[in-house]
Amino acid sequence: MPETPATPAPLLLVDGFNLLWAGTFGFPAPIHSRDKTRELTGLFAFFALLRAAIRDDVDVAQAEVLVVFDGEHSAAERVASDQEYKANRAATPEALKPLQFLARR
């Protein structure tokens, strides 16, 4: 009897910056470290929203999840070809707040 190929696990693709931004600015209450020295809203909300998406949008126990973040210079080619690309976005500390939750090297 021929073997039936295994059904691959569903793949959930996540736009990491979008989810991080939504968590940072759209979470209903700020989350801080226990000693109140660090704001952790974006980081906490990122994983809470990701967990909810996996729970609600994937119908199997073993789903594949891939979270993708753009690289530091990912928009360089687009800016080189169109100077107006994201030119209206402020680079204030408040606007860049979600980036604090990403690891730095």
Side-chain angles (χ1 to χ4, degrees), residues 22-31 41 44-45 49:
T24 302
F25 296 115
F27 211 64
I31 306 294
T41 307
F44 177 87
L49 293 169

Side-chain angles (χ1 to χ4, degrees), residues 27 31-32 40-41 46-47 49 51 59-60 62-63 68 75 79 89 91-92 103:
F27 211 64
I31 306 294
H32 291 88
L40 302 174
T41 307
F46 175 87
F47 286 105
L49 293 169
R51 183 173 180 226
D59 294 336
V60 297
Q62 297 295 321
V68 179
V79 171
R89 295 191 178 182
T92 64

Side-chain angles (χ1 to χ4, degrees), residues 18-88:
N18 186 305
L19 189 60
L20 185 60
W21 190 91
T24 302
F25 296 115
F27 211 64
I31 306 294
H32 291 88
S33 60
R34 288 182 187 207
D35 61 4
K36 307 290 186 212
T37 61
R38 296 175 295 141
E39 183 183 346
L40 302 174
T41 307
L43 187 62
F44 177 87
F46 175 87
F47 286 105
L49 293 169
L50 181 60
R51 183 173 180 226
I54 294 167
R55 180 192 66 223
D56 297 343
D57 297 334
V58 181
D59 294 336
V60 297
Q62 297 295 321
E64 298 282 334
V65 179
L66 181 63
V67 179
V68 179
F69 290 89
D70 290 339
E72 183 178 354
H73 303 291
S74 63
E77 284 185 34
R78 290 179 225 135
V79 171
S81 64
D82 178 8
Q83 294 297 317
E84 298 294 318
Y85 181 74
K86 295 187 179 181
N88 63 333

